[in-house]
Amino acid sequence: MFTIEALTQAGKTFLMLFGELFSLFVGISFVVALLQIYISHDRIKRILTTPKKGLNSVLGAMLGAVTPFCSCSTIPVLVGLFKSGAPFCGAISFLLTSPILNPAIITLMLAFFGLKATITYTTFTFVFAVVMGLILDKAGFEKEVKNVVVTGGHQDSVSWETLRGNFWQKQAQAFKIALRDAFALFKGVMGFLLLGAGIGAFIYEFVPADLLAGFAGANNLWAVPLAAVVGIPMYIRTETMIPIASVLIAKGVAPGVMIALILGGAGASIPEVSLLNSIFKKKLVITFVLCIFAVATITGYIFNFVLSN
């Protein structure tokens, strides 16, 4: 099994995966860094103060989709929204889309699942976040928010408003800062990327396809909700899962199973739930986790259906 030829091929697969991952990650990180310069936390708060709940929920979902903050950033922004008087529905829609619908995940969709699946995923998760924001608001969950202030987390050191010069000078500064931040972030997570590429190469070369297809193939109806349950307590880094997901799907794992796993881990990891527990009462925390489980499971089944037709 572990012959020189097999190990050599695994090495080639590792280099190919890492090369693809490097290009995707740096490109995504560059775009994300630019978005975080253009759309500051204060600007988000100003946009989400519109009194119309339906529009507010849509705007919240849109801002969450283009501002892929990590948990340590999303929660302080969320608290700031509540403190500034932003309607509850918009703040919840923002919270729901920020981890599960962002440039990194959309790029993952396009690269490994194609345009049809990407449009399906984006549409469903976006509508889900808008509708759940309105439903939870209508059900009176606003009273489940604690009167607290979360300190710490990422603070905007650079925003479009703080840059100096004319439009093109500010644009050049923004691009330079975004490129610097992209490579700095890559250095910080390079170990995770190497691990992801290494696991992917090992699975591709040495794990039998029949074993994976039988356990997590599209014919196993329980595989999708099980993947969502397994993913929720995990702290999944999307950039680590990119090469693993592509290899597992090539080996016969249903795309819906991988999506459910990634959504569960990205949307309701233990660190994020712990932070939410400091600002939400228990009823709302449980409801949030159930929402993530629901969107992960339903999206997983939709993916299996769409990609099999």
Side-chain angles (χ1 to χ4, degrees):
M1 182 178 181
F2 294 100
T3 63
I4 296 297
E5 183 179 355
L7 291 172
T8 301
Q9 187 58 42
K12 291 179 180 178
T13 302
F14 168 79
L15 292 175
M16 180 188 69
L17 288 172
F18 186 75
E20 292 178 356
L21 191 54
F22 170 79
S23 301
L24 279 171
F25 182 78
V26 172
I28 293 168
S29 300
F30 175 74
V31 173
V32 167
L34 275 180
L35 288 172
Q36 292 181 332
I37 291 173
Y38 295 147
I39 309 174
S40 65
H41 293 180
D42 288 338
R43 183 173 295 181
I44 291 173
K45 294 175 187 177
R46 290 196 300 269
I47 292 173
L48 286 184
T49 53
T50 174
K52 296 180 179 180
K53 290 186 177 180
L55 177 60
N56 192 274
S57 193
V58 170
L59 288 173
M62 289 174 62
L63 287 169
V66 299
T67 52
F69 300 130
C70 62
S71 299
C72 62
S73 297
T74 300
I75 305 306
V77 172
L78 183 68
V79 173
L81 290 175
F82 289 136
K83 294 294 182 183
S84 64
F88 177 78
C89 57
I92 292 299
S93 294
F94 169 81
L95 175 65
L96 285 170
T97 53
S98 188
I100 68 173
L101 184 60
N102 59 52
I105 293 180
I106 291 174
T107 302
L108 170 64
M109 299 293 107
L110 283 170
F112 298 107
F113 302 126
L115 183 61
K116 181 180 178 182
T118 302
I119 292 174
T120 301
Y121 172 85
T122 303
T123 302
F124 179 76
T125 51
F126 184 85
V127 171
F128 178 88
V130 172
V131 171
M132 287 310 303
L134 292 171
I135 289 175
L136 294 181
D137 183 270
K138 186 70 174 179
F141 275 85
E142 186 173 4
K143 65 180 182 294
E144 300 297 323
V145 178
K146 298 177 182 177
N147 186 25
V148 296
V149 175
V150 175
T151 59
H154 171 76
Q155 302 295 324
D156 285 335
S157 56
V158 178
S159 67
W160 184 256
E161 290 80 5
T162 62
L163 297 177
R164 295 290 179 262
N166 60 36
F167 175 81
W168 293 111
Q169 289 173 331
K170 293 172 72 172
Q171 201 73 263
Q173 293 174 58
F175 272 67
K176 182 178 179 180
I177 293 168
L179 191 61
R180 181 197 66 196
D181 289 350
F183 278 98
L185 184 59
F186 173 77
K187 288 175 62 178
V189 301
M190 187 169 64
F192 290 100
L193 304 184
L194 290 169
L195 178 63
I199 293 173
F202 179 84
I203 293 172
Y204 188 80
E205 295 300 332
F206 300 114
V207 177
D210 292 342
L211 175 65
L212 292 173
F215 177 73
N219 293 328
N220 185 351
L221 295 178
W222 291 105
V224 171
L226 180 60
V229 170
V230 170
I232 283 176
M234 296 172 65
Y235 183 49
I236 291 177
R237 302 187 72 103
T238 304
E239 62 269 17
T240 305
M241 288 302 298
I242 289 174
I244 299 175
S246 64
V247 168
L248 288 173
I249 290 170
K251 281 286 189 175
V253 173
V257 174
M258 290 308 308
I259 289 301
L261 179 69
I262 293 171
L263 278 178
S269 64
I270 287 178
E272 181 171 8
V273 172
S274 297
L275 286 170
L276 287 175
N277 192 57
S278 67
I279 63 172
F280 289 165
K281 296 178 183 178
K282 185 175 295 184
K283 182 179 179 181
L284 185 51
V285 173
I286 294 172
T287 301
F288 173 79
V289 173
L290 290 176
C291 284
I292 295 299
F293 171 77
V295 73
T297 302
I298 296 171
T299 305
Y301 283 128
I302 290 174
F303 250 65
N304 284 344
F305 176 77
V306 169
L307 296 184
S308 64
N309 291 284

